[in-house]
Amino acid sequence: MELDPDFVKEFACLKISTRDISAEELAKFDANVPLKARAQVKHTSYKHVPQFFYVPPPPDDKLRHLLRREAQSLFLQQKSEELLNNEELQQLWRLLEQHVTETTAKQQLISYDDYCRLRSALDKKCRKYLTTCLFAQLLSESPYLGSVEIASVFNYTMRKVWLTQCRIGLSFYDDVGQGYLREFDLENYIVDLIPTLGQICDCMDPAFEKFYVCTVVKRFYFFLDPLRTGRIRIREMLVSGLIHQLMELRDEPKPTELEPVQLNPFSMPAVLAVYGSFLNLDLDHNGLLNKQELSRYGSGTLTSVFMDRVFEECHTYDGEMDYKTYLGFVLALENRQVHPPRCTTYSVCWTCSTPAT
């Protein structure tokens, strides 16, 4: 049988001893003797503080990287199978209606006793979402004494499933496996997500796709990477509310006549507005902005001292600013006193099924 050349090449990177084995050592060798545990230096504190950090494999150890990716893929597939599908969510709603304790003029309420009976009627897969801690927290925010709305229970379950599904999708692009996305990883995620965004894919020009991806990624990094580390924690993306705004583009907008509709920052009109302002400032049409061109931004009241300071701090190309740097400039001016939106009502971890406080 002929071995795969790539497989042989990977084994060549393994760290093995090249020392010659003596005849005496060969005579004493017994294949039936179990392998000894690897000798490790254990500090006395290990008895009280468990290990919480595992060193990732070095970049040249491709076998361990492949093993980690395969293990991560199997883990994420397992978590995907634990999610509730549409039929199971519909079944949960039917059971909630069957265990209603009291019906008011506007809401259907459930007490803790009926909540426990409901949990007994659920299967194991759905029961882990409806915990005692969940009822206690919903009860603390409920205006009804001793009861909670069944709509609150159902909405929490749906949002929990959605956030977990979103985290699994983001984790598939975590090439390092440390719970964060680099800029390149996030770009790949956005590119693969665009065909699922109904409000974007129908009006997306292939030539404009890279500018749209750049605009979305820059907004994520502006709010979620203030220290400019070049990576964003997946957990921060979920609780920020930005990913929710992006996912809203999957459905058609539903404007109301009573309340003004706020423009989604990831929508095509919002992105085209920023890109159009860049093109209007670029008088020589070279794809870059110099100080004189950028000084025309807004009402044209930016001083020369301010512009000099901007070009000292920003990354430029021969003294001119590209579109990516321009995005950071615009976001900084538009959000001088505005903090990024955060959604702390629901946070997701793999073991806890209760909302965060």
Side-chain angles (χ1 to χ4, degrees):
M1 181 181 65
E2 184 178 358
L3 296 177
D4 187 354
D6 295 335
F7 189 70
V8 176
K9 183 179 179 180
E10 297 299 333
F11 266 96
C13 299
L14 292 178
K15 298 178 181 180
I16 58 177
S17 176
T18 57
R19 180 180 61 86
D20 295 335
I21 302 177
S22 63
E24 182 179 358
E25 290 176 328
L26 287 174
K28 295 180 179 180
F29 177 75
D30 186 2
N32 298 323
V33 176
L35 296 176
K36 295 181 180 179
R38 179 181 295 179
Q40 296 181 352
V41 179
K42 293 186 178 181
H43 196 268
T44 56
S45 63
Y46 288 1
K47 298 179 180 180
H48 309 285
V49 182
Q51 184 177 1
F52 57 88
F53 176 73
Y54 297 88
V55 181
D60 58 343
D61 196 344
K62 296 183 179 180
L63 283 179
R64 291 182 61 188
H65 277 285
L66 293 174
L67 177 62
R68 185 203 58 76
R69 292 180 184 177
E70 185 66 20
Q72 181 188 23
S73 178
L74 293 175
F75 174 76
L76 295 177
Q77 291 177 9
Q78 177 185 356
K79 291 300 178 182
S80 298
E81 296 173 357
E82 297 176 1
L83 296 176
L84 301 179
N85 53 36
N86 292 332
E87 296 181 0
E88 291 170 329
L89 288 173
Q90 294 176 3
Q91 177 65 17
L92 172 61
W93 177 251
R94 288 192 292 266
L95 290 175
L96 280 169
E97 291 182 322
Q98 295 175 7
H99 290 79
V100 171
T101 304
E102 179 185 359
T103 302
T104 64
K106 297 182 179 180
Q107 296 294 340
Q108 294 175 306
L109 308 179
I110 184 172
S111 64
Y112 181 69
D113 292 337
D114 289 327
Y115 184 81
C116 293
R117 298 187 186 97
L118 170 66
R119 294 188 73 251
S120 302
L122 298 173
D123 56 6
K124 183 179 180 181
K125 182 178 180 180
C126 187
R127 192 183 304 126
K128 69 176 184 178
Y129 289 92
L130 275 62
T131 62
T132 304
C133 295
L134 169 63
F135 187 88
Q137 181 162 351
L138 293 178
L139 183 62
S140 65
E141 302 174 357
S142 175
Y144 305 97
L145 182 62
S147 301
V148 300
E149 303 171 7
I150 65 171
S152 299
V153 179
F154 185 74
N155 290 338
Y156 164 79
T157 306
M158 287 189 60
R159 187 166 180 82
K160 179 75 173 183
V161 172
W162 180 84
L163 284 174
T164 307
Q165 186 178 19
C166 187
R167 178 170 185 174
I168 292 173
L170 290 169
S171 298
F172 273 111
Y173 293 84
D174 180 12
D175 189 62
V176 183
Q178 297 296 313
Y180 60 79
L181 295 183
R182 299 164 298 181
E183 187 171 346
F184 178 77
D185 301 327
L186 186 56
E187 288 177 354
N188 291 336
Y189 174 76
I190 300 301
V191 169
D192 294 340
L193 185 67
I194 287 177
T196 67
L197 304 178
Q199 300 183 37
I200 300 299
C201 63
D202 296 338
C203 55
M204 173 66 73
D205 188 346
F208 184 71
E209 181 177 303
K210 62 179 181 179
F211 295 100
Y212 178 83
V213 173
C214 178
T215 306
V216 174
V217 172
K218 188 64 178 180
R219 189 173 189 87
F220 271 94
Y221 269 84
F222 176 81
F223 286 119
L224 304 183
D225 186 27
L227 299 180
R228 303 299 182 261
T229 61
R231 58 190 187 184
I232 302 176
R233 304 294 300 182
I234 294 178
R235 186 181 181 89
E236 289 294 324
M237 296 180 63
L238 294 175
V239 303
S240 66
L242 294 175
I243 194 70
H244 179 71
Q245 292 178 334
L246 184 62
M247 293 302 176
E248 285 180 349
L249 300 177
R250 289 182 170 180
D251 304 325
E252 293 297 328
K254 298 179 180 179
T256 59
E257 298 179 357
L258 299 179
E259 298 180 1
V261 179
Q262 185 177 3
L263 188 63
N264 190 311
F266 300 115
S267 63
M268 187 60 70
V271 175
L272 286 175
V274 178
Y275 183 69
S277 65
F278 177 82
L279 294 180
N280 292 332
L281 295 175
D282 186 14
L283 298 178
D284 54 5
H285 305 291
N286 64 342
L288 299 171
L289 299 180
N290 54 37
K291 293 181 182 180
Q292 290 73 23
E293 292 172 334
L294 187 61
S295 63
R296 299 171 52 246
Y297 175 81
S299 58
T301 57
L302 300 178
T303 64
S304 59
V305 177
F306 177 80
M307 299 305 303
D308 292 339
R309 186 58 176 164
V310 168
F311 276 80
E312 287 177 1
E313 294 294 329
C314 295
H315 179 72
T316 59
Y317 299 87
D318 294 332
E320 293 188 317
M321 179 185 299
D322 65 346
Y323 177 66
K324 185 176 181 180
T325 307
Y326 173 75
L327 289 174
F329 171 79
V330 173
L331 288 171
L333 289 182
E334 293 180 351
N335 301 275
R336 282 173 287 184
Q337 297 178 351
V338 178
H339 297 284
R342 294 185 63 84
C343 177
T344 57
T345 304
Y346 301 95
S347 62
V348 177
C349 66
W350 299 120
T351 57
C352 178
S353 59
T354 59
T357 57

